[in-house]
Amino acid sequence: MSFCQIRTERECGCPAEACAVQKPVTAAPVVIPSWRTHLAAVAFGFAVFAFVFVAMSAWNNQLRDEAKINQENFRHG
C-alpha cells in the first residue's frame, strides 16, 4: 500500500479519488490563565524557594559546625 499523504497526487499509486489532500492543520486553542492560576503559580514558587532556602541554610550550618570540629581536631591532633 502506498502512502498518499506524503506524495503528490501524480505520484500516488492509488486512484485519484482515493488520494485525499490533507486538511489544513487547525491552530491550538489559546488558553489565557486566570489571575487565580497566576496567584497559585507564584505562591507555589515562593513555597519552593522558602523550602530550598531553609534546607540550604541548615546544610550550611551543618557544614560550618563540621568544619569547626575538624579544625579543633586538627589543632589538637
Side-chain angles (χ1 to χ4, degrees):
M1 182 174 176
S2 65
F3 291 99
C4 299
Q5 295 174 350
I6 56 175
R7 297 181 181 181
T8 63
E9 290 186 16
R10 284 181 246 142
E11 296 175 334
C12 191
C14 52
E17 59 273 354
C19 287
V21 179
Q22 286 185 341
K23 295 179 182 178
V25 179
T26 58
V30 177
V31 179
I32 301 173
S34 67
W35 62 271
R36 290 180 184 157
T37 307
H38 285 281
L39 184 63
V42 169
F44 180 73
F46 277 126
V48 168
F49 169 75
F51 176 77
V52 170
F53 181 78
V54 169
M56 290 189 73
S57 294
W59 187 34
N60 190 25
N61 289 339
Q62 181 182 3
L63 290 175
R64 187 182 63 219
D65 293 343
E66 270 184 36
K68 285 181 183 178
I69 292 170
N70 289 338
Q71 184 179 12
E72 290 174 4
N73 289 340
F74 183 72
R75 285 184 182 174
H76 298 292

